[in-house]
Amino acid sequence: MSEPTTYPVLRCPSIRLAYSGMIDLHVLPFFLATVLIMVVIPGPTTIYISTTSASQGFRFGLASCFGVMLATLVHVSFAAAGLTALLLASPWLFNAIKLLGAGYLVYLGIKVIRSKPSTAGTTAAPQSQSRALGETIKKGFLVNLLNPKTGLFIAAFLPQFVTPSLGHVPLQIVTLGLLLVLVGGMSDTTYAALARTIGRALANRSKKPGIGKYIAGLLYMGLGIAALATSNGTSK
């Protein structure tokens, strides 16, 4: 009778890493639980997405969510490549990005307030609406890309769940980052749907139809001002 066949290849660290999805499966439940707790608490990007959805419609909320997710992927790539460390090592670069991000949010707030009420509707021509959705994706992308707090958080958070003994640390960071983007995207989509429902209800009860754009504009400006308080951790 022949001896049972064994597969020593599975004992190889690199094969085990690939087999386990590039991350330690024992760490995965703790990572997902932590991410779920964090995304449930609305942050600046969640407020931005919810405000966009409430004031412009659910499709625009989804578009802004998609833009935010794309920017998060860029931040994850920077963290995996070690580029985010430049923000910590260079205060002037950090402050420059922070000022750009804050200024862009304030600019969006002023633009929304000055816009005509009809531009916030969803009854535009298909071609015009497609262009508007594309602009919303770009806005969401820039809002999150120019938020150094997002980059610093990802650079500090993801490595805590990396297992150095498995090797391929940058690949582990990217894999964890993809999971973070997926869970965060589902959470933001839920917030966008709820915000649209609440926004429609408030609009129907409001005696001033154009008040929504003022609320949205002030929220954007408030987020911009709050972004100025972001620190890279080197100053007190």
Side-chain angles (χ1 to χ4, degrees), residues 49 60-70 140 184-186 188-189 192:
I49 292 169
F60 287 89
L62 285 181
S64 62
C65 178
F66 183 66
V68 166
M69 292 171 67
L70 289 177
M186 290 189 295
D188 287 340
T189 299

Side-chain angles (χ1 to χ4, degrees), residues 8-47:
V9 68
L10 292 178
R11 298 193 182 98
C12 176
S14 60
I15 299 298
R16 184 169 65 250
L17 175 62
Y19 185 76
S20 62
M22 305 303 174
I23 54 176
D24 189 345
L25 294 181
H26 294 90
V27 175
L28 184 59
F30 300 99
F31 173 76
L32 292 177
T34 305
V35 170
L36 282 172
I37 294 173
M38 290 190 305
V39 299
V40 167
I41 303 173
T45 54
T46 303
I47 296 174

Side-chain angles (χ1 to χ4, degrees), residues 7-205:
Y7 299 92
V9 68
L10 292 178
R11 298 193 182 98
C12 176
S14 60
I15 299 298
R16 184 169 65 250
L17 175 62
Y19 185 76
S20 62
M22 305 303 174
I23 54 176
D24 189 345
L25 294 181
H26 294 90
V27 175
L28 184 59
F30 300 99
F31 173 76
L32 292 177
T34 305
V35 170
L36 282 172
I37 294 173
M38 290 190 305
V39 299
V40 167
I41 303 173
T45 54
T46 303
I47 296 174
Y48 171 78
I49 292 169
S50 299
T51 302
T52 302
S53 183
S55 60
Q56 296 179 260
F58 182 59
R59 279 185 290 182
F60 287 89
L62 285 181
S64 62
C65 178
F66 183 66
V68 166
M69 292 171 67
L70 289 177
T72 303
L73 288 175
V74 174
H75 282 298
V76 169
S77 300
F78 285 169
L83 297 178
T84 309
L86 293 175
L87 289 175
L88 293 174
S90 178
W92 70 267
L93 179 60
F94 178 88
N95 289 327
I97 296 177
K98 180 174 68 174
L99 289 173
L100 282 174
Y104 185 66
L105 280 168
V106 172
Y107 161 76
L108 289 180
I110 296 174
K111 187 176 181 181
V112 168
I113 291 176
R114 296 184 61 183
S115 66
K116 297 180 181 179
S118 59
T119 59
T122 57
T123 56
Q127 189 175 19
S128 176
Q129 192 174 66
S130 297
R131 189 182 302 111
L133 288 172
E135 285 294 319
T136 303
I137 293 175
K138 183 176 71 174
K139 290 176 183 176
F141 178 80
L142 290 176
V143 164
N144 200 25
L145 183 67
L146 296 176
N147 182 9
K149 189 175 181 179
T150 301
L152 294 179
F153 165 76
I154 290 174
F157 176 69
L158 295 184
Q160 297 183 38
F161 297 90
V162 167
T163 305
S165 61
L166 293 178
H168 303 279
V169 171
L171 191 55
Q172 290 188 61
I173 292 177
V174 170
T175 305
L176 292 170
L178 289 174
L179 292 174
L180 174 65
V181 170
L182 179 61
V183 177
M186 290 189 295
S187 174
D188 287 340
T189 299
T190 302
Y191 272 109
L194 292 174
R196 180 51 181 166
T197 301
I198 296 173
R200 185 183 290 114
L202 292 177
N204 292 335
R205 293 186 180 184

